[in-house]
Amino acid sequence: VEKTDQGMQVVGFSTVSDGMAIVSAAEKLSQAKQHDEQDPLMISIAADTAQTGFYSFSIPIVEGPKIESLIAAQAEAIVPMPLTQSMYSWRMVQKDSAMQHGFLSVIRRGYFQELNAMAAGRAGSMMPDATGLVRAWSAMYENSPQQCLLIQVRKRHCVLAVCEQDKLIRAAAMD
């Protein structure tokens, strides 16, 4: 996809059926080799937002390793499944005088493994597909307000994405 004077245009795409084909298509698209140790190709997978849970949390302002342990404790308390059955990432979105506020993005470990297998086990990162919706919208409308709600209508559900300063803050899928 590239931005033109007429807006965003899809300049190419491909359909693939297995993990190695995905890796091969990614290598061709990026003109890089996955096995290049000096500058390896990172594959990032967009997880279906309908399969992703978002949970807000607040912790005291700390830095370094302490932040990781506080977030892990928050995840243990608010994620509605054992952490051994899930994968999560986090983002801090706001700070005030004593606290910092963020959200967890959580998927089931089995879903993560399924998606990773689609990229032949070479996924370097995973994010909700609503992140792409926010980035595309931000690229098209550079003068975005502080906070907005984007709605993506799909065949079986809608994805609601709250963004602030061009970053995904929270998302949900609704029937």
Side-chain angles (χ1 to χ4, degrees):
V1 177
E2 66 184 26
K3 187 176 179 179
T4 66
D5 293 338
Q6 291 79 33
M8 300 298 275
Q9 292 189 333
V10 177
V11 294
F13 67 92
S14 67
T15 302
V16 294
S17 59
D18 63 42
M20 288 311 293
I22 290 174
V23 171
S24 176
E27 288 175 346
K28 189 185 314 177
L29 181 65
S30 67
Q31 299 175 343
K33 289 288 181 194
Q34 178 67 26
H35 304 292
D36 184 354
E37 292 181 19
Q38 293 180 346
D39 190 20
L41 174 65
M42 177 181 278
I43 297 176
S44 182
I45 297 176
D48 185 355
T49 299
Q51 299 290 325
T52 308
F54 292 86
Y55 305 94
S56 298
F57 67 89
S58 296
I59 59 172
I61 295 179
V62 295
E63 298 296 327
K66 289 183 180 180
I67 195 168
E68 301 269 341
S69 62
L70 284 174
I71 292 171
Q74 288 290 313
E76 187 73 43
I78 60 179
V79 173
M81 70 177 86
L83 290 184
T84 57
Q85 296 176 13
S86 64
M87 303 283 294
Y88 70 89
S89 63
W90 54 273
R91 176 183 291 161
M92 302 312 290
V93 294
Q94 185 180 22
K95 289 183 182 180
D96 55 36
S97 60
M99 300 292 283
Q100 50 191 342
H101 312 280
F103 73 89
L104 297 171
S105 173
V106 182
I107 60 173
R108 285 183 173 75
R109 188 173 294 274
Y111 180 60
F112 172 85
Q113 292 166 338
E114 179 184 324
L115 292 177
N116 193 30
M118 289 175 62
R122 297 182 181 173
S125 67
M126 195 168 298
M127 65 188 77
D129 59 0
T131 303
L133 174 65
V134 171
R135 290 195 124 194
W137 184 83
S138 297
M140 297 231 6
Y141 303 99
E142 295 171 10
N143 296 326
S144 61
Q146 287 287 350
Q147 192 175 69
C148 62
L149 173 68
L150 304 177
I151 302 172
Q152 181 183 27
V153 179
R154 295 181 173 175
K155 187 174 184 176
R156 291 188 167 77
H157 61 271
C158 293
V159 172
L160 307 176
V162 177
C163 61
E164 187 171 318
Q165 297 177 344
D166 301 333
K167 294 197 184 316
L168 178 68
I169 302 299
R170 171 171 271 155
M174 298 182 67
D175 289 338

